[in-house]
DNA sequence: TCGTTGACCTACACTTAGTGTAGCATAGTA
DNA sequence: TACTATGCTACACTAAGTGTAGGTCAACGA
């Protein structure tokens, strides 16, 4: 079992963010130690890592909660979940292309600067 | 000259966002028509497009304002601006790599789902 | 034994980057 | 003349956290 500090470190999340996700229902209320400190299993840690991944792809907290509810509902929701993840994958691909064009824009600006232009 | 609606459309920004940027000092207070409506020049439009680009690369509004102040200060700030844009470019490259690894994570999740696993 | 870290707890305030809404003015159109 | 579109300001609200105050508890060193 991991403390919230360890979990945060492992998952690359802020402690406050983990508590926030718990409040929002993205996680079951964590088990507690005798000192009332949150304790996380390996599985919960993996889920935190995946939450982080989904958040970074731009999925909203509320949508992740919907997804989590589906996971809990069992294999009947698999097709729906596959669709959801595929859609997220599409968005991510679009986003990567957008980033590349932003990169080009920055490079173009740098070129102008290298030529001594002020704009 | 462009109205705020046209500017928003051209730059791909929300009208409210443009007014917000003006309030934050990322833009000079726009010229006004006889009807008190904001009017934008081609140059201002280009700047709006670049603001959008910088925002999408993750640069904060306050940092864009710093950058804008440097642009206004003239060519003496060119080296500093080059540094800033280069740093932003680096961040963007890191971000693109992160997105690719998120993509891999989603694909891995899909593979598990295709195999009928629930997690 | 005392004191002081360090990690945790809750509750609440604050932040960022906008978006949405209410209430109003004005211009062009049917 | 009525309606619709577009614009204006000011203010409220949102998302996704982050930061802070005030408190508990265990462990470590003098």
């Amino acid at each position: 079992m991991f403390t919230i500090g360890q979990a945060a470190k492992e998952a690359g999340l802020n402690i406050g963010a983990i508590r926030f996700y718990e409040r929002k229902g993205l996680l079951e209320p964590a088990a507690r130690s005798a000192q009332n400190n949150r304790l996380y299993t390996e599985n919960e840690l993996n889920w935190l890592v995946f939450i982080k991944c989904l958040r970074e792809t731009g999925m909203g907290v509320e949508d992740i909660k919907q997804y989590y509810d589906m996971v809990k509902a069992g294999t009947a929701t698999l097709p729906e979940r596959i669709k959801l993840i595929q859609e997220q994958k599409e968005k991510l691909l679009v986003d990567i292309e957008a980033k590349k064009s932003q990169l080009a824009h920055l490079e173009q600006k740098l070129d102008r600067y290298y030529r001594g232009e002020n704009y």
Side-chain angles (χ1 to χ4, degrees), chain A:
Chain A
M1 303 289 267
F2 304 85
T3 67
I4 197 169
Q6 291 166 335
K9 201 164 194 176
E10 295 289 313
L13 287 167
N14 180 302
I15 288 176
I18 296 180
R19 291 198 274 243
F20 172 76
Y21 293 150
E22 182 181 308
R23 269 202 308 288
K24 290 287 173 179
L26 267 59
L27 272 68
E28 291 318 301
R32 301 293 183 121
S33 73
Q35 289 79 246
N36 195 36
N37 292 0
R38 287 174 179 80
L39 292 174
Y40 297 94
T41 64
E42 190 87 45
N43 273 351
E44 288 173 310
L45 211 67
N46 291 339
W47 173 227
L48 280 173
V49 169
F50 196 52
I51 287 178
K52 198 199 175 207
C53 174
L54 291 176
R55 282 293 302 120
E56 284 175 350
T57 66
M59 190 182 286
V61 166
E62 186 51 42
D63 289 348
I64 298 177
K65 184 182 160 27
Q66 305 294 320
Y67 173 80
Y68 180 51
D69 289 344
M70 282 192 245
V71 173
K72 286 190 288 184
T75 49
T77 62
L78 259 180
E80 222 177 327
R81 279 185 270 154
I82 287 175
K83 187 160 165 276
L84 211 147
I85 300 291
Q86 273 171 342
E87 281 167 8
Q88 203 59 28
K89 209 182 108 181
E90 285 313 308
K91 284 184 200 167
L92 195 48
L93 286 169
V94 170
D95 192 28
I96 289 172
E97 287 315 301
K99 298 268 173 212
K100 285 184 189 167
S101 100
Q102 289 149 26
L103 193 64
H105 201 151
L106 292 188
E107 273 161 357
Q108 180 201 315
K109 180 63 75 169
L110 278 176
D111 282 349
R112 298 175 65 83
Y113 281 170
Y114 292 146
R115 275 190 252 105
E117 295 179 41
N118 194 33
Y119 299 106

